[in-house]
Structures are given as structure tokens and as C-alpha cells.
Amino acid sequence: FNESTLPETELPAGFEWKTFDALSAEQAADYLALDLEIWPETPIGAGRLNEIVARDQWRMLQIFAENRPVASLMYWISDNETGEIEEVLVREPYRRRGLASALLARALHEIHGRGCEDAELEGEAMNENALSVYKSAGFEIETEEHRYATEL
């Protein structure tokens, strides 16, 4: 990272940041509801959420509007050197307002502040909107995975 090349972290008017270094049962339930809304076919589930929350230097960044989370991401530090970003989520009515970009920018600043020189995330290859946001935040495609399916 180069501090001068990191993106800006400003939120649009009407939104506020909340940061979590641990989750209460209620906060976890709120997150799982958000995740289920975004990914109804493949929700993260409580088990996987607990696994991620237990990782070294884990943190959740959320953006709230009207007292409810409308956008979220999680990150942690892997091997004391790489920021791992996962679960970048934005509720449908709040998309295209710069919230995902703000989440990524803030996460990158925090990860850099924790002494990391790089960050990684995985994205769905067919989600061109998300890939565009990741690219604008400075991410480049390192590898590409294809998943094949057939109806039986």
C-alpha cells in the first residue's frame, strides 16, 4: 500500500459508521439477517460467521441508515501481513451510492494501519458491478475461478 494511493473513506450524508471487534448475539443475528437478504441461496450461516469472528485481528465495518445496517464487510489479518476482506454486502435499495467503495476504502486504511502491505478479497467473477468497485479500490485480478453446474 501507498498511503497516497488509498481511496477516500467519506460516507454520503445520512449514513454513519459502526465498527465491531466482537459481536453480541443480537448483532450476530442482525448480520445473519443482512447476509440472508443479500445471499438467500448461499447464506454464510452462524457456524461460518463464528469461525470468521474468531480470526486474528477480526473486525466488522458497517454502515447504518435509519438505525439499521445497510452495508457491511469483515476483515482480519492473515499471517500478520495480509488483510483478508470478506462479505462485502450492500442492501439493494442502498446500492450505487458509494457505500461499498467507502467500506473498502476504510478497510484498506485500517489494514494498512495495522502494518499490512497488501489486502486480498474474493469476488464472484460474474458480478461485474462488484468487480468494478474492487478495481476502483485498487484491487487487481490475481486468479480467476470458474464454477460449473448442470441441472439433473
Side-chain angles (χ1 to χ4, degrees), residues 28-96:
D30 287 347
Y31 177 80
L32 291 170
L34 171 62
D35 182 76
L36 181 61
E37 181 181 321
I38 304 297
W39 301 109
E41 302 295 322
T42 56
I44 187 173
R48 174 91 171 118
L49 178 60
N50 289 336
E51 175 189 313
I52 293 171
V53 170
R55 293 188 175 163
D56 189 36
Q57 299 185 60
W58 173 87
R59 174 168 274 183
M60 179 182 287
L61 303 176
Q62 289 192 327
I63 299 171
F64 274 62
E66 301 170 7
N67 293 320
R68 69 179 232 171
V70 298
S72 181
L73 73 62
M74 293 185 266
Y75 75 83
W76 62 91
I77 308 304
S78 176
D79 300 325
N80 281 330
E81 62 184 41
T82 301
E84 302 280 347
I85 298 173
E86 191 163 316
E87 296 287 313
V88 182
L89 309 173
V90 180
R91 283 195 154 107
E92 183 70 40
Y94 297 93
R95 292 182 183 163
R96 300 197 180 285

Side-chain angles (χ1 to χ4, degrees), residues 115-146:
C116 295
E117 292 299 319
D118 58 45
E120 298 176 351
L121 60 77
E122 291 182 16
E124 181 111 9
M126 303 299 282
N127 188 342
E128 295 200 19
N129 290 333
L131 296 176
S132 175
V133 170
Y134 303 154
K135 187 173 183 168
S136 71
F139 288 92
E140 297 175 1
I141 295 174
E142 194 170 272
T143 62
E144 192 168 331
E145 177 181 311
H146 296 276

